[in-house]
Amino acid sequence: MSFDTDVLISGAGAAGLILAIDLARRGVSFQLIEQNAQPFSGSRGKGIQPRTMEIFEDLGVVDRMAAAGGPYPPLCQYRPDGTHKMSLLTEADVFPTAAEPYAAPLMLPQFATEAVMRERLSELGHHLEGSKNP
């Protein structure tokens, strides 16, 4: 069996899509395969961490991710005595710095994250090869 590609990527989830985008940018031949005919419609993860936003900046999608997501809403903690306390997931006075340009996590469901990455991969002239089965 011979292949016309340097890299075979199995799975078009977040990790597979990031690898595909990076290889496409570098001109490396790859094939991205996915067994599911449609992208996963749920969300296995709802948050993008600040360091991941730096990777998205390098891949050219950070603005689209920020536009598709938003800040985490306040958390409500219920106490045994019936009272509750509202708090933020991150400190309100956290600001971007040169060392950490994205100071707070971004709330963005996995399916939306993957949609942005699929769009970027398409812009780079690539697509994934999926199953023909529903």
Side-chain angles (χ1 to χ4, degrees):
M1 192 184 289
S2 68
F3 295 95
D4 268 351
T5 189
D6 293 327
V7 179
L8 175 63
I9 305 169
S10 178
L17 288 165
I18 286 175
L19 177 57
I21 292 167
D22 196 40
L23 293 174
R25 293 183 322 152
R26 297 171 190 276
V28 176
S29 171
F30 68 91
Q31 184 177 8
L32 175 59
I33 60 172
E34 171 61 50
Q35 73 175 359
N36 297 315
Q38 299 294 322
F40 181 67
S41 62
S43 185
R44 294 181 186 102
K46 299 206 179 350
I48 306 296
Q49 296 302 312
R51 293 294 184 191
T52 303
M53 293 295 286
E54 292 178 42
I55 293 168
F56 289 153
E57 181 177 23
D58 182 53
L59 296 177
V61 296
V62 73
D63 291 338
R64 288 183 246 184
M65 294 293 183
Y72 273 82
L75 301 174
C76 185
Q77 299 169 327
Y78 293 94
R79 298 181 177 138
D81 66 2
T83 62
H84 67 278
K85 175 186 173 189
M86 299 298 287
S87 61
L88 297 174
L89 182 64
T90 59
E91 296 177 27
D93 60 349
V94 175
F95 300 100
T97 65
E100 194 171 356
Y102 303 96
L106 178 70
M107 185 171 218
L108 182 64
Q110 182 176 341
F111 69 87
T113 303
E114 290 179 10
V116 169
M117 289 191 286
R118 285 172 186 258
E119 178 182 18
R120 178 67 175 135
L121 186 61
S122 178
E123 291 168 0
L124 294 168
H126 295 273
H127 64 280
L128 65 99
E129 297 184 27
S131 168
K132 304 297 182 212
N133 301 326

